[in-house]
Amino acid sequence: MKITMAHGSGGKSTSELIGTIFEKEFSDPTLSKMEDSAVLPGSGRIALTTDSFVVTPLFFPGGDIGRLCICGTVNDLLMSGAEPKYITCGFILEEGADTDDLRKIAHSMSETAKEAGVRIVAGDTKVVEGKGGVYINTAGVGFVPEGVDIGAENCREGDVILLSGNLGDHHAAVLSKRMGIENTIVSDCAPLVEMVNAMKRSSVHIHAMRDVTRGGLGTVLNEFAASSNCTIELQEESLPVSDQVRAFCGVLGLDPLYMGNEGKMVAVVAAEDAEKALACIRASRYGENAAVIGRVLAGDSAVLLKTPIGGTRVVGPLYGEGLPRIC
């Protein structure tokens, strides 16, 4: 069945769409009340985030827009040290969207939310004219434990920088699908709950964290350097990139430092905790290729890359558009 304007009318067609797809897949007692707002328990320091997902194609190797929107929202909460709890989702559907695709997307959201330990507690659906597109806006709520202070401004001289895995997988998977390039590259789209919780349980002193999405690692580290007024030095040989993605970059002239991921994070930790943090990440799901990639130095805001032949390259933020509609 195709989506029509009647599915956005607020009448019987809307109720049937919500009941047969979203309520059924999300299966949450608060959501099922169908009230105007979700009333939920919680107190203390609240982390709140919002994001919109417009990726094309909707389904790509390793994921889909449903898994992507849950992972992106959960990971944003995690990076501030919060424990993710609740998610809301607003669907903007174009006329002609296929309800079978919607069901697959909702199921993927439900399964990913279970994996991440969050509840989908509220939602909305609108229909507009178009050619069958699907867009999702989310909001996420988490709670930050007392004493946790993680932020881009907290990087200090001597800190160590860790990356949780290979660069560029999501970017290469989406671009391959669009261009019809046959390979086995899959998106790294994943919730990072397990590795972040492992570091927190091990009392790792985490000073800053950020998931590496649009703009890539180069842009994230420039934001850290500017916020903390420090220099970040990377070792090129330490940057993890799979052989397939490296070859893909070689063919298309891409730089892994500016490619988007959807299941990788960079963490800045105290030097004495670096080995412990690395062990926590590597022992966690999605963290087997984690590596120490650099350190924080005193100095003006800058990101420097030390090359294998002894050279030094200045790494700036991404300028222009990397890959439109990657998330």
Side-chain angles (χ1 to χ4, degrees), residues 54-73:
V54 298
V55 67
T56 182
L58 296 175
F59 300 90
F60 46 82
D64 55 65
I65 191 172
R67 181 171 175 81
L68 188 67
C69 75
I70 300 298
C71 292
T73 308

Side-chain angles (χ1 to χ4, degrees), residues 14-44:
T14 303
S15 297
E16 289 176 350
L17 179 67
I18 292 171
T20 56
I21 294 182
F22 301 122
E23 184 185 4
K24 179 181 177 183
E25 292 291 345
F26 298 160
S27 183
D28 185 275
T30 301
L31 179 72
S32 293
K33 291 181 179 178
M34 298 295 167
E35 298 287 356
D36 283 351
S37 62
V39 179
L40 300 157
S43 62

Side-chain angles (χ1 to χ4, degrees), residues 152-171:
E153 73 280 8
N154 291 337
C155 302
R156 297 291 179 265
E157 181 182 1
D159 283 352
V160 171
I161 302 165
L162 297 95
L163 182 65
S164 68
N166 294 338
L167 291 172
D169 293 352
H170 179 71
H171 190 124

Side-chain angles (χ1 to χ4, degrees), residues 71-283:
C71 292
T73 308
V74 165
N75 291 341
D76 282 351
L77 292 170
L78 287 168
M79 296 303 106
S80 62
E83 298 170 359
K85 291 293 184 184
Y86 309 119
I87 286 182
T88 73
C89 52
F91 288 82
I92 309 296
L93 309 176
E94 289 183 350
E95 272 188 303
D98 194 298
T99 53
D100 287 340
D101 286 345
L102 268 185
R103 189 172 288 104
K104 292 175 186 174
I105 291 167
H107 183 73
S108 181
M109 292 173 68
S110 175
E111 292 299 304
T112 308
K114 290 173 186 172
E115 179 185 352
V118 296
R119 292 170 56 191
I120 301 171
V121 295
D124 183 50
T125 304
K126 295 290 189 298
V127 179
V128 298
E129 300 86 351
K131 299 179 180 178
V134 175
Y135 313 100
I136 304 173
N137 176 264
T138 62
V141 174
F143 298 97
V144 184
E146 289 301 324
V148 172
D149 180 19
I150 297 172
E153 73 280 8
N154 291 337
C155 302
R156 297 291 179 265
E157 181 182 1
D159 283 352
V160 171
I161 302 165
L162 297 95
L163 182 65
S164 68
N166 294 338
L167 291 172
D169 293 352
H170 179 71
H171 190 124
V174 170
L175 186 54
S176 295
K177 182 74 172 178
R178 284 188 200 170
M179 297 179 69
I181 298 175
E182 293 187 6
N183 55 43
T184 58
I185 299 172
V186 298
S187 169
D188 58 346
C189 184
L192 303 175
V193 178
E194 185 175 327
M195 64 179 69
V196 172
N197 286 346
M199 286 197 292
K200 290 163 73 176
R201 281 196 304 271
S202 296
S203 301
V204 172
H205 292 90
I206 308 168
H207 293 166
M209 285 194 293
R210 192 71 63 82
D211 54 340
V212 182
T213 56
R214 288 180 304 163
L217 180 67
T219 301
V220 170
L221 294 180
N222 270 275
E223 292 170 357
F224 283 179
S227 295
S228 293
N229 193 30
C230 65
T231 292
I232 290 176
E233 183 185 79
L234 301 176
Q235 298 296 326
E236 186 174 15
E237 288 182 309
S238 300
L239 295 174
V241 183
S242 73
D243 290 342
Q244 273 224 335
V245 170
R246 194 179 298 280
F248 184 83
C249 291
V251 171
L252 296 182
L254 300 172
D255 186 342
L257 282 171
Y258 299 105
M259 294 172 73
N261 289 77
E262 288 295 339
K264 298 297 184 321
M265 69 173 190
V266 58
V268 180
V269 305
E272 62 270 23
D273 288 340
E275 288 303 319
K276 183 165 58 176
L278 183 62
C280 288
I281 298 173
R282 283 182 172 172

